[in-house]
Amino acid sequence: MATRQDAYDAATRTYLAGKRLDMRELATELGVSRNTLYRWTGDRERLLQDVIWTLSEAAITEIWAQTARRRGASRLVEALRRYLVTIVESQALQAFLRNETYVALRLLTSQGPFQDRLVAEVTRLLDEEVARGTFSPRADTGLLAYATVRTMEGFVYNDTVVRSEPEVERAVQVIRLLLG
């Protein structure tokens, strides 16, 4: 018998394969009704945001551990640069942006389950460096985190609409100004 976790695992496999997530197909694959699937995961958009967030959170955790030798703004900027490179190089994310551009942009760049969690995670990273005494923010860390996330979105995701290349280094320059 399928479980809630099976639904998330199957949705993650579909996303990572660069395929469109179809709730009817997912329910059939799991051998459950669509009502059960929706009860477990919420609607398609919520499930996509949860899947993408889970992958993002894992990447951020790994990147944060890899940058542990750095301190303060240097660590923060480098960790965010690596995260930007990770999302730009993600074939699954690029397929989602290419195949469902407006849905992807709305889910990733509007206030909601994905963006709220990303802002909270960046806030946590900023606060961690503040607690270590290695970073003195020039503004509230929540506000800095929000501005940082919006900067990343503007240089990476929103350029997808006009089909220009994501500008990771320009985003990093602005983030450095915010956090430096």
Side-chain angles (χ1 to χ4, degrees), residues 51-169:
V51 164
I52 297 167
W53 172 249
T54 299
L55 296 168
S56 292
E57 184 178 38
I60 291 167
T61 299
E62 182 178 331
I63 290 165
W64 195 242
Q66 292 169 352
T67 59
R69 289 200 167 130
R70 293 179 180 242
R71 297 286 181 258
S74 172
R75 182 181 190 191
L76 293 161
V77 171
E78 178 59 17
L80 293 167
R81 185 194 68 75
R82 289 183 190 192
Y83 176 69
L84 284 169
V85 169
T86 299
I87 62 177
V88 166
E89 292 178 352
S90 167
Q91 292 179 1
L93 182 60
Q94 295 311 312
F96 183 45
L97 286 164
R98 191 174 45 256
N99 298 333
E100 299 185 61
T101 303
Y102 296 102
V103 170
L105 289 175
R106 184 169 41 79
L107 297 182
L108 297 172
T109 67
S110 297
Q111 190 172 10
F114 180 82
Q115 187 192 73
D116 292 350
R117 288 184 277 195
L118 183 55
V119 169
E121 184 65 8
V122 173
T123 302
R124 186 189 67 74
L125 301 179
L126 295 171
D127 288 342
E128 185 175 317
E129 289 302 298
V130 169
R132 294 169 113 184
T134 59
F135 178 63
S136 296
R138 292 182 274 175
D140 173 74
T141 56
L143 179 61
L144 283 175
Y146 180 74
T148 298
V149 168
R150 295 300 292 191
T151 297
M152 294 184 329
E153 293 167 356
F155 282 98
V156 175
Y157 297 132
N158 289 339
D159 286 340
T160 302
V161 174
V162 293
R163 299 289 181 219
S164 64
E165 291 297 314
E167 298 181 296
V168 171
E169 291 311 315

Side-chain angles (χ1 to χ4, degrees), residues 1-4 6-11 13-14 20-42 44 47:
M1 176 102 180
T3 66
R4 177 180 303 206
D6 293 333
Y8 283 101
D9 292 345
R13 284 192 302 276
T14 299
R20 185 178 193 284
L21 181 63
D22 182 289
M23 297 298 274
R24 185 175 312 212
E25 289 176 14
L26 183 58
T28 300
E29 176 185 336
L30 295 168
V32 299
S33 70
R34 283 181 39 210
N35 286 341
T36 298
L37 179 60
Y38 279 80
R39 194 171 54 251
W40 285 348
T41 66
R44 176 181 184 270
L47 179 56

